[in-house]
Amino acid sequence: MYFKDIVGLDEVKSHLIADARSGHVAHAQLFHGFEGSGVAAVALAYARYLNCLHPGEQDACGKCSSCLKYDRLAHPDLIFLYPYIKGSNTFADDYLPQWRELLASNVYFNRADWQEAIGAGNSQPIIYSHESKMLDDKLSYKVSEARYRIIYIWQPERMHEALANKMLKLVEEPPENTIILMASLDPNKIIGTIMSRVQPIHIRPLSDAEITHGIQMRGLMPAVGPEQVQVWAHLARGNFRQMMDLIAGNAEAQESFGYIREILNGVMNPMPVEMRRLAENIAGLGREVQVRLLMQLAAFFRECMVLPMAQWQLTYLRPDQIGLAQTIRGAVTPQNVSALIDECNLAIRHVQQNVNGKMVFMDLILRLTSQLTPAYRSLGLRQ
């Protein structure tokens, strides 16, 4: 990963390059932002640049021995930590082949991609405490080839508490020539003592123009008109991975909206047997998929409020979603929209706390029925 491969964010790249060339490099830095904005990519490109033997004014050289090792993500002074599923005597290094393959194929991967790559299923990957001993072993050796030894941590918010305390000590008293780069998607879950001791670097959402240019740069421009590309870039909400999914017709997003359609149509004609069947079907999805479905549902309620304004710049509905939004137009009101979104957020918390999925989604469907029934009746959508 080079800076040139990262979509947009020119001001962030320039800032990082200037710091590296001045020699004023903070020993612990936290890159944070939303999924799909390039958090992991920027941190990795920065690591490469810091250790390039002949860095240019805009990027690493790509030819020195360090860059060639970074091409394979196999530099001896590059240490990776990331969440995984614990097995018998399992460490993060056991998942290096999957990690390298995922980064090589698409640095704009998301958490679901990683879970699929390691076969996590419904399990929640974390960075386990026994990585502390492995880290001690690696840090006991002197930096062998590079200017800096890089400890690269993806999703530090998923570190076990014992490992987080170990990392706090490293942040406070870093080994010589060692830099810690963290790439976080949810910095609010990182312990406060670490947050107060790292240099934060916010990776903002991409602009529509940056997303469109990134698609062109990668040769992914679809065979549709520029107006459709503009709509998709807008719908992506600063998330480059979302843009690629929109172009590819992401199957998961379509399946999730199918469930949303069933939920909202079911409220019009509630039948306990169908409610239970739907709850069971959604409960059979992976937890990460369930969370994204609930987030999509909450966003849909918000869009139903915006749609009557007829301002496409404010609307983030895909063409296949507009029909349902128009059907229930007026059912989501200023009086109930906050409660509807709160119900989705409550269900998200329950999913993340491993509450029984069938109970979570059956309860959600019943609560949404209670919230929407008065509006449905006033619109004549339900007796």
Side-chain angles (χ1 to χ4, degrees):
M1 173 51 57
Y2 295 84
F3 283 125
K4 64 182 180 182
D5 298 322
I6 296 169
V7 177
L9 305 174
D10 289 341
E11 74 287 357
V12 176
K13 300 175 195 176
S14 297
H15 169 74
L16 294 172
I17 290 172
D19 280 357
R21 293 180 72 83
S22 70
H24 300 301
V25 180
H27 69 272
Q29 302 181 45
L30 174 69
F31 295 77
H32 64 94
F34 293 104
E35 203 167 58
S37 60
V39 175
V42 173
L44 189 56
Y46 183 49
R48 176 195 288 272
Y49 190 85
L50 286 172
N51 278 326
C52 177
L53 301 181
H54 309 292
E57 293 184 359
Q58 296 183 330
D59 216 332
C61 73
K63 298 178 181 179
C64 68
S65 59
S66 176
C67 282
L68 294 178
K69 291 184 174 81
Y70 265 82
D71 285 343
R72 304 191 306 274
L73 300 176
H75 198 291
D77 296 312
L78 175 62
I79 300 170
F80 286 115
L81 285 176
Y82 35 73
Y84 59 92
I85 302 301
K86 186 177 182 180
S88 178
N89 298 317
T90 304
F91 290 87
D93 282 354
D94 295 317
Y95 289 96
L96 263 177
Q98 294 94 324
W99 177 251
R100 289 167 175 160
E101 182 178 355
L102 195 59
L103 282 174
S105 62
N106 180 17
V107 293
Y108 287 91
F109 67 92
N110 58 32
R111 285 170 284 197
D113 293 328
W114 177 238
Q115 291 213 169
E116 181 179 351
I118 63 176
N122 286 335
S123 301
Q124 294 296 302
I126 67 171
I127 308 177
Y128 292 90
S129 59
H130 63 240
E131 289 294 337
S132 177
K133 181 180 183 303
M134 183 67 73
L135 198 55
D136 281 337
D137 292 342
K138 293 179 178 180
L139 295 179
S140 66
Y141 297 98
K142 291 184 178 180
V143 178
S144 60
E145 299 181 15
R147 181 181 295 111
Y148 301 107
R149 172 169 41 212
I150 304 293
I151 302 175
Y152 181 104
I153 308 174
W154 182 59
Q155 291 196 77
E157 60 269 24
R158 293 202 172 186
M159 285 191 294
H160 187 277
E161 184 179 357
L163 180 60
N165 290 329
K166 166 70 175 180
M167 197 56 57
L168 174 60
K169 294 179 181 178
L170 290 177
V171 169
E172 291 177 331
E173 301 177 13
E176 186 177 5
N177 298 327
T178 297
I179 293 177
I180 302 168
L181 302 181
M182 303 181 188
S184 173
L185 302 175
D186 196 352
N188 292 328
K189 293 183 179 179
I190 300 174
I191 62 174
T193 46
I194 288 182
M195 286 294 295
S196 65
R197 290 166 173 80
V198 298
Q199 175 179 301
I201 299 173
H202 176 62
I203 307 301
R204 60 168 173 78
L206 302 174
S207 69
D208 293 359
E210 287 174 326
I211 289 176
T212 301
H213 178 70
I215 291 298
Q216 293 172 332
M217 184 174 69
R218 284 166 168 73
L220 299 175
M221 187 62 73
V224 297
E227 291 184 359
Q228 181 62 63
V229 173
Q230 182 184 22
V231 170
W232 281 343
H234 179 66
L235 293 175
R237 301 191 186 194
N239 183 329
F240 190 72
R241 168 55 189 270
Q242 179 68 18
M243 179 64 171
M244 292 191 293
D245 287 346
L246 287 167
I247 292 174
N250 181 261
E252 181 193 306
Q254 293 179 358
E255 181 183 6
S256 292
F257 191 72
Y259 285 121
I260 290 173
R261 187 185 301 276
E262 285 192 66
I263 291 171
L264 296 179
N265 285 337
V267 174
M268 296 183 197
N269 184 27
M271 300 176 61
V273 173
E274 286 301 306
M275 289 179 173
R276 185 168 62 250
R277 177 197 60 79
L278 181 56
E280 290 175 351
N281 288 343
I282 299 175
L285 305 174
R287 290 193 184 95
E288 292 283 350
V289 178
Q290 292 171 6
V291 168
R292 285 195 295 277
L293 186 157
L294 291 165
M295 293 173 65
Q296 187 178 356
L297 177 57
F300 182 76
F301 286 137
R302 179 261 180 196
E303 300 309 320
C304 287
M305 284 290 298
V306 176
L307 188 62
M309 301 178 188
Q311 296 286 333
W312 76 267
Q313 295 91 343
L314 300 176
T315 304
Y316 292 92
L317 290 172
R318 299 197 312 267
D320 61 314
Q321 298 174 337
I322 292 177
L324 177 60
Q326 290 176 333
T327 298
I328 66 171
R329 186 172 179 168
V332 181
T333 67
Q335 289 72 39
N336 67 13
V337 65
S338 294
L340 292 170
I341 293 174
D342 286 346
E343 296 295 354
C344 295
N345 291 333
L346 176 62
I348 288 173
R349 290 198 297 274
H350 287 162
V351 169
Q352 292 175 334
Q353 293 167 357
N354 297 328
V355 177
N356 182 280
K358 295 178 184 178
M359 294 175 57
V360 170
F361 287 98
M362 187 65 185
D363 183 62
L364 173 67
I365 293 170
L366 291 172
R367 287 172 176 268
L368 294 181
T369 300
S370 175
Q371 292 287 348
L372 287 170
T373 291
Y376 273 16
R377 284 176 173 161
S378 69
L379 293 170
L381 296 174
R382 180 179 168 187
Q383 298 299 321

